[in-house]
Amino acid sequence: MSRFLESIHVKQGVAELIFYHQARYEACMNHYFPNAPKAILKDLLKHVPATEQTYKLRIEYSHKIEKVEYIPYQTRQIHSLKLIEAKHLRYDWKYADRSDIDALHTKVSNQEIMIVQHGLITDSSYSNLVFERRGKLYTPLKPLLYGVRREHLLKTGKIRPIDIPVSEIQLYEFVYLINGLLALENAPKLSIEQIF
């Protein structure tokens, strides 16, 4: 049976983007377990540490909530991105089993990867991507995972979805790595020259 994840940014007892997490969780449940009862994710916040420390509330579920953990979170240090072609990789939902993505890391040493499908940029192994060009922000039209942070930025008009071919990444100046725990303003930001 498949298991899925929601990884929620929690600070001072507040779960960020909980509406978007709830929506994705419910969409996944409707797809895989349409007759199962659905949890209210904010109800899982009862024992959250109310500190300045950032926590990842990691919720693992199948037809029911399987596991809930609070994990202290620190941003990864990313120094470069390696382009990796993975045309058959699928990550339509936030699966607990990431072995297909993890296997791509065996092709590189000590680098984060940027996944390419059919010549188009999709995601990194743990984040959606936002590219900056002349002060405007763009995100790949077809990411591997439709992340909650990406969805929020689209809804608020801060980013625009477009196809980003590998052959055109030099048209951009920077790339940001965003996810549920990494807002645009504190996401790793790399120069395009740091993509290989």
Side-chain angles (χ1 to χ4, degrees), residues 9 16-17 73 75 126-133 135-140 148-160 174-190:
H9 177 272
E16 192 177 17
L17 302 177
Y73 184 77
T75 305
Y126 79 102
S127 69
N128 291 133
L129 301 169
V130 173
F131 288 81
E132 182 176 346
R133 181 173 64 196
K136 294 189 177 176
L137 300 173
Y138 305 90
T139 192
V148 296
R149 179 81 54 191
R150 178 183 182 275
E151 182 69 14
H152 173 68
L153 291 170
L154 286 169
K155 287 265 169 65
T156 55
K158 293 181 179 170
I159 60 174
R160 195 178 97 170
F174 301 102
V175 62
Y176 300 81
L177 285 72
I178 61 165
N179 62 29
L181 289 109
L182 292 170
L184 195 58
E185 56 271 13
N186 62 8
K189 177 183 178 182
L190 281 75

Side-chain angles (χ1 to χ4, degrees), residues 2-3 6 30 40 44 48-49 62 64 74 83 91 107 110 118 128 137 140 145 161 174 176 184 188 192 196:
S2 295
R3 285 195 177 192
E6 285 300 323
N30 288 336
I40 304 300
L44 303 175
V48 59
S62 58
K64 63 185 177 78
Q74 290 193 341
L83 291 164
Y91 198 67
K107 299 179 180 184
N110 243 357
H118 309 290
N128 291 133
L137 300 173
L145 178 70
F174 301 102
Y176 300 81
L184 195 58
I192 291 302
F196 302 97

Side-chain angles (χ1 to χ4, degrees), residues 160-177:
R160 195 178 97 170
I162 61 170
D163 279 332
I164 301 178
V166 172
S167 60
E168 295 180 8
I169 59 172
Q170 293 303 322
L171 299 177
Y172 299 86
E173 293 107 34
F174 301 102
V175 62
Y176 300 81
L177 285 72

Side-chain angles (χ1 to χ4, degrees), residues 20-49:
Y20 293 92
H21 286 286
Q22 184 73 37
R24 181 170 64 186
Y25 159 75
E26 289 184 10
C28 184
M29 289 291 287
N30 288 336
H31 184 80
Y32 284 95
F33 315 108
N35 299 317
K38 296 173 188 64
I40 304 300
L41 300 185
K42 69 178 180 181
D43 290 348
L44 303 175
L45 291 167
K46 293 174 183 168
H47 304 293
V48 59

Side-chain angles (χ1 to χ4, degrees), residues 41-136:
L41 300 185
K42 69 178 180 181
D43 290 348
L44 303 175
L45 291 167
K46 293 174 183 168
H47 304 293
V48 59
T51 70
E52 286 292 327
Q53 168 73 47
T54 295
Y55 287 89
K56 172 166 63 174
L57 170 56
R58 185 181 185 276
I59 302 168
E60 188 170 333
Y61 65 95
S62 58
H63 65 286
K64 63 185 177 78
I65 300 296
E66 301 282 355
K67 190 175 183 181
V68 177
E69 299 176 279
Y70 288 101
I71 303 166
Y73 184 77
Q74 290 193 341
T75 305
R76 294 184 194 185
Q77 296 299 310
I78 306 295
H79 303 290
S80 62
L81 291 161
K82 175 71 174 171
L83 291 164
I84 297 285
E85 175 74 37
K87 66 175 73 168
H88 300 298
L89 179 66
R90 297 294 301 269
Y91 198 67
D92 300 333
W93 303 97
K94 196 168 172 64
Y95 301 109
D97 179 2
R98 291 175 42 90
S99 54
D100 288 345
I101 291 177
D102 293 340
L104 297 176
H105 278 282
T106 63
K107 299 179 180 184
V108 298
S109 61
N110 243 357
Q111 279 182 290
E112 177 53 34
I113 59 175
M114 183 179 282
I115 300 164
V116 178
Q117 293 191 322
H118 309 290
L120 298 174
I121 303 296
T122 61
D123 285 330
S124 86
S125 71
Y126 79 102
S127 69
N128 291 133
L129 301 169
V130 173
F131 288 81
E132 182 176 346
R133 181 173 64 196
R134 297 178 190 154
K136 294 189 177 176

